[in-house]
Amino acid sequence: MTHVVTENCIKCKYTDCVDVCPVDCFREGPNMLVIDPDECIDCAVCIPECPADAIFAEEDVPTDQLAFIKINADLAFAKGWKSITKRKAAPPDADSWNGKPNKVSMLER
């Protein structure tokens, strides 16, 4: 079992979740975070910390977001996204992107 970062993180990339993660399972890409499924211990402390409500337990990922289970795994491994262990400032326009649908095409890999 793991947790999954979904589409709403794209272009928001808030990092509040990173500060509470006890195992440093978050990986940072250009405009999104993902969770390394091999590192996640399923503690769920990140879920309430996400201002974008973009993190779900794998079994709770909304049907229209199921592709993000594979996206998280692929980007954590294949793309070699680096571990992020400290909170950073969100992009200046993060709030304007929060809640906007159909952002998957904007994902920078």
Side-chain angles (χ1 to χ4, degrees), residues 19-98:
D19 271 346
V20 298
C21 182
V23 294
D24 301 331
C25 68
F26 284 89
R27 304 292 179 257
E28 181 182 21
N31 68 348
M32 179 182 181
L33 301 177
V34 296
I35 292 175
D36 181 334
D38 287 347
E39 297 293 325
C40 181
I41 59 170
D42 199 30
C43 68
V45 297
C46 57
I47 293 173
E49 296 302 315
C50 179
D53 296 321
I55 303 172
F56 295 87
E58 186 174 353
E59 70 270 11
D60 296 331
V61 173
T63 306
D64 67 336
Q65 300 289 302
L66 289 174
F68 280 88
I69 296 170
K70 183 173 180 352
I71 288 170
N72 275 244
D74 288 350
L75 296 178
F77 301 124
K79 292 295 181 179
W81 284 12
K82 302 290 184 212
S83 178
I84 178 172
T85 59
K86 300 281 184 218
R87 184 178 180 181
K88 296 179 176 181
D93 61 347
D95 291 343
S96 68
W97 286 102
N98 190 2

Side-chain angles (χ1 to χ4, degrees), residues 9-26:
C9 185
I10 298 170
K11 296 188 82 62
C12 291
K13 200 169 114 172
Y14 300 109
T15 57
D16 305 58
C17 52
V18 170
D19 271 346
V20 298
C21 182
V23 294
D24 301 331
C25 68
F26 284 89

